[in-house]
Amino acid sequence: VPTGGSRSAELSSHLIKKFIRRVFRLGPASAPRIVPKSEHGISREAISAASRKTCETLHERGYVAHIVGGAVRDLLLGLRPKDFDVATDAYPEEVHRIFRRSRLIGRRFKLVHVMFGEETVEVSTFRARTVAETDEHGRVVRDNIYGTRADDSIRRDFTVNALYYDPASETVLDYHNGLRDLRKKSVRVIGDARARYREDPVRMLRAARFAAKLGFTIDERTRKPIHEMAHLLENVPPSRVYEEMQKLLLSGHASTSVRQLRSEGLHHGLLPLLDVIFEQPLGERFVMLALEQTDARVLGGKPVSPAFLFAALLWHEVLAASKKAVHKGLKPIPALFHAMDAVLEIQTDKLAIPRRFTTIMKEIWALQPRLEQRSGRRPFALIANERFRAAFDFLVLRAASGEASTELAQWWEKFQHASEGERQAMLLAPQPGEPRRKRRRRRKKPTLPPEASSA
Ligand code: ATP
Ligand code: MG
């Protein structure tokens, strides 16, 4: 049992070390706090079999290997991790050689995916303390220089994401007081916030995402520079912004995340128009309903369609652009198509929505006016359309936000489940403004001379 005296001696030696480090501008401590199982409480069984096996195998070959990042954080919070990442001192090529079912991925950031049946474990090699290569804005563009575990810990984004779990000793290694921040419910960047955002502006989005997901607050020094540095996101490749936004939107905490983005001033220029949308009451209502619905599905373990969600996020932009085009003299349908392309083009500049999704988004949008046509054969054709279900769900959402008619949504709800006879009875008379179906002109049959036909 330490006496009061030895404790104060310990404290002063700690202060002296801290002072020396400050004077010589040394980095943070390179020795982690080793947290025993009795304190962290993570049971080995909570770790996925594949990631445990990955660590064990690397261990047997003489390497150091730990579970890192979000999995450790989530386990400590009693949440169920989405996936398990492993960090090791083995080089990517070595990891790849050790695991028969694995592949090397990435060029700027090399990683190895190790496959065990259904599960894939992402294995990264400890990064060096210094960044390999940056662009003219200070953004990291290449990062394949390796270092020690302590170096690696400095390169991680937030203290709560820099905890290393060692399955062999069942201890957690904490270099940056991550455990303390976890208890304080604080998202705190490692090192100097400005420098870390300059290296990788996406970290600003991540701060907002983790705060929303975990119900944490962003530490003041981590939060403060975000507002003035938000514009740096413009230099990030659109595909990376997309990737991070997709994580955010499909996290099950999209609506709180988007509110957080907005309060940090990060929504501007990301999803366009997200700021324009928030200025239109109907638009905001619609977006929030879409996000809440998505969250409920994710948390309920149901599949969600990113295309549907992006279609919803951009809908009011499409509506506005379409109205403008009508004003310039286009007919409603061509105006809608013109607007869809214009909105997607602007959007893809900032955030590269994959083409497989933009195709579906356009289909959902294009079916909206067709849902208004309730006469003749049209409703029957529409219901057989591959995209009917999504288009109908979209209409329901529009109706819920007050932008489309509730009666129309209810009509389709009924029509879908009605019998053939009931459907016929439900049809409306052709509406005055309704576009008429173009009748294909029959080619006139050559009239035969009377003698020939009688012959
Ligand atoms: P989740 O998977 O729950 O969304 P996560 O923390 O696991 O959260 P990932 O994107 O899977 O997030 O990243 C895994 C880990 O890699 C992080 O916990 C963090 O330590 C590190 N990391 C990821 N992205 C960055 C980044 N941009 N800068 C620094 N470190 C990062
Ligand atoms: Mg993860």
Side-chain angles (χ1 to χ4, degrees):
V1 181
T3 64
S6 76
R7 202 184 289 160
S8 74
E10 210 176 272
L11 185 67
S12 60
S13 103
H14 172 75
L15 289 175
I16 289 167
K17 276 189 204 152
K18 200 167 158 190
F19 174 74
I20 291 174
R21 216 175 263 126
R22 179 106 54 80
V23 169
F24 294 102
R25 291 179 177 280
L26 295 176
S30 53
R33 188 163 88 82
I34 299 173
V35 185
K37 186 175 179 184
S38 59
E39 189 183 335
H40 65 66
I42 298 175
S43 78
R44 215 186 245 139
E45 289 66 50
I47 309 288
S48 81
S51 61
R52 239 187 310 166
K53 188 88 186 85
T54 305
C55 288
E56 265 167 32
T57 306
L58 286 165
H59 211 139
E60 280 161 15
R61 304 293 178 106
Y63 296 108
V64 174
H66 303 296
I67 316 279
V68 283
V72 184
R73 177 198 68 218
D74 290 351
L75 286 173
L76 287 166
L77 291 170
L79 303 171
R80 190 202 177 99
K82 217 169 56 208
D83 41 44
F84 289 79
D85 299 325
V86 166
T88 178
D89 61 352
Y91 289 145
E93 292 76 10
E94 294 173 319
V95 177
H96 180 46
R97 230 176 292 129
I98 291 171
F99 296 96
R100 211 163 41 86
R101 293 200 56 223
S102 71
R103 57 168 182 257
L104 265 170
I105 59 158
R107 257 182 309 142
R108 297 175 310 165
F109 301 87
K110 273 191 210 164
L111 294 168
V112 183
H113 277 175
V114 178
M115 280 85 73
F116 287 90
E118 293 272 278
E119 203 184 333
T120 297
V121 180
E122 196 170 282
V123 183
S124 61
T125 303
F126 295 147
R127 308 243 167 246
R129 185 176 283 236
T130 48
V131 166
E133 192 184 328
T134 58
D135 69 4
E136 74 269 29
H137 307 286
R139 195 172 61 80
V140 180
V141 289
R142 192 176 297 277
D143 197 12
N144 290 318
I145 298 182
Y146 306 112
T148 63
R149 186 175 61 201
D151 295 337
D152 184 81
S153 79
I154 296 171
R155 296 295 311 284
R156 295 192 173 261
D157 47 7
F158 305 104
T159 60
V160 293
N161 284 348
L163 296 160
Y164 298 70
Y165 175 79
D166 180 28
S169 63
E170 295 192 78
T171 54
V172 167
L173 309 169
D174 183 2
Y175 288 88
H176 306 284
N177 267 323
L179 223 55
R180 180 201 61 190
D181 290 335
L182 212 70
R183 292 197 187 106
K184 280 181 21 189
K185 293 180 173 290
S186 173
V187 177
R188 189 164 61 87
V189 83
I190 295 170
D192 176 59
R194 280 167 217 276
R196 300 308 306 282
Y197 297 152
R198 222 170 287 125
E199 273 172 17
D200 182 8
V202 163
R203 288 174 185 146
M204 295 185 273
L205 296 179
R206 292 174 60 85
R209 172 160 74 91
F210 292 126
K213 167 178 165 160
L214 306 170
F216 282 22
T217 45
I218 306 177
D219 166 78
E220 193 45 36
R221 267 195 257 181
T222 298
R223 199 183 67 83
K224 199 147 174 270
I226 293 181
H227 211 85
E228 63 193 80
M229 296 183 87
H231 68 276
L232 290 178
L233 279 163
E234 285 166 21
N235 310 322
V236 177
S239 57
R240 260 218 79 210
V241 178
Y242 173 79
E243 222 174 88
E244 198 58 36
M245 281 304 285
Q246 176 169 317
K247 277 191 193 174
L248 184 148
L249 293 170
L250 303 182
S251 65
H253 305 274
S255 60
T256 34
S257 293
V258 166
R259 282 201 189 96
Q260 185 87 40
L261 284 183
R262 195 180 174 197
S263 68
E264 304 310 334
L266 282 169
H267 57 298
H268 189 81
L270 266 187
L271 273 170
L273 325 164
L274 218 53
D275 38 3
V276 185
I277 292 166
F278 282 132
E279 281 160 24
Q280 312 165 335
L282 275 183
E284 166 153 18
R285 182 109 194 276
F286 181 70
V287 166
M288 280 304 163
L289 278 175
L291 292 174
E292 281 159 19
Q293 197 181 64
T294 306
D295 287 344
R297 289 186 68 90
V298 172
L299 297 176
K302 291 192 197 139
V304 294
S305 145
F308 184 90
L309 183 57
F310 281 110
L313 294 178
L314 296 176
W315 175 240
H316 277 260
E317 242 355 81
V318 172
L319 279 182
S322 170
K323 212 187 253 172
K324 244 190 231 159
V326 168
H327 208 73
K328 282 190 188 149
L330 281 185
K331 292 238 166 63
I333 302 291
L336 176 65
F337 279 79
H338 172 81
M340 295 186 329
D341 287 335
V343 166
L344 283 176
E345 195 175 320
I346 300 172
Q347 192 47 47
T348 340
D349 241 26
K350 308 267 183 201
L351 183 148
I353 302 174
R355 190 175 290 277
R356 65 180 187 284
F357 294 150
T358 55
T359 310
I360 301 173
M361 290 164 70
K362 282 193 197 176
E363 288 168 357
I364 293 173
W365 289 336
L367 287 180
Q368 296 310 305
R370 286 182 55 191
L371 284 161
E372 282 164 32
Q373 302 167 3
R374 292 183 271 171
S375 62
R377 293 302 306 161
R378 289 206 182 93
F380 295 93
L382 196 53
I383 222 164
N385 187 298
E386 188 197 4
R387 218 50 83 191
F388 170 76
R389 187 69 218 183
F392 167 71
D393 288 344
F394 201 80
L395 174 68
V396 170
L397 207 57
R398 289 173 58 209
S401 76
E403 182 253 319
S405 135
T406 316
E407 185 269 326
L408 181 63
Q410 283 164 350
W411 188 91
W412 278 104
E413 172 66 36
K414 196 167 156 208
F415 189 79
Q416 281 176 75
H417 301 108
S419 68
E420 183 64 26
E422 287 167 336
R423 283 180 181 177
Q424 289 292 350
M426 282 179 75
L427 295 176
L428 306 188
Q431 302 296 296
E434 199 164 292
R436 289 168 130 254
R437 195 191 331 219
K438 275 197 202 110
R439 217 178 283 150
R440 222 183 294 143
R441 230 209 262 145
R442 282 229 193 96
R443 224 186 300 141
K444 261 196 192 155
K445 269 193 198 152
T447 36
L448 297 170
E451 316 87 75
S453 65
S454 62

